[in-house]
Amino acid sequence: FDGHGEQGKHVSECASIQIAKHLFGHKDLHTNPVSALESAFLDTQQKIERTHNFDAFHSGTTAIAAYRHRNRLYVANVGDSRAVMGCGMGSARGIGIASTSPTWATRWP
């Protein structure tokens, strides 16, 4: 999470809590992780817009989240957040892409 704007720190803290809450409370987390991740991001955005008294147009956050289910890694991000996944001894793989859409989710085999 990378907050920006006057209330960016507050927005990123709220988003980190809410995304986890919505994701792990989603009824389809184990059967449809992509849908659960998308819903967690969208529900979090809506909650921030409804409950905080600041101009969300000038403050916000980027975010990236990963969820491992069995032998798959599901990744969702919004904004230009990036992450690095360790792949073994001395190797790494970049995950996450810049996204102009509200959410982006995929799975890594």
Side-chain angles (χ1 to χ4, degrees):
F1 296 90
D2 181 20
H4 55 270
E6 187 176 312
Q7 297 294 324
K9 181 178 183 204
H10 180 68
V11 175
S12 65
E13 289 171 353
C14 178
S16 69
I17 292 166
Q18 292 301 315
I19 287 173
K21 179 180 173 182
H22 289 292
L23 179 63
F24 292 112
H26 196 280
K27 65 181 177 63
D28 294 328
L29 178 60
H30 300 295
T31 58
N32 191 347
V34 171
S35 175
L37 279 162
E38 289 174 346
S39 293
F41 274 69
L42 291 171
D43 292 346
T44 296
Q45 175 69 31
Q46 291 169 355
K47 178 161 180 130
I48 289 170
E49 290 174 355
R50 277 193 322 267
T51 61
H52 290 83
N53 296 324
F54 56 83
D55 185 354
F57 184 74
H58 292 102
S59 295
T61 188
T62 65
I64 188 164
Y67 172 70
R68 182 176 164 220
H69 180 65
R70 297 190 179 132
N71 64 341
R72 302 242 183 221
L73 180 66
Y74 297 86
V75 179
N77 73 297
V78 64
D80 61 358
S81 289
R82 303 277 201 282
V84 176
M85 176 179 66
C87 299
M89 295 294 291
S91 67
R93 182 178 197 179
I95 56 176
I97 61 170
S99 176
T100 55
S101 62
T103 60
W104 173 79
T106 192
R107 62 185 182 162
W108 289 89

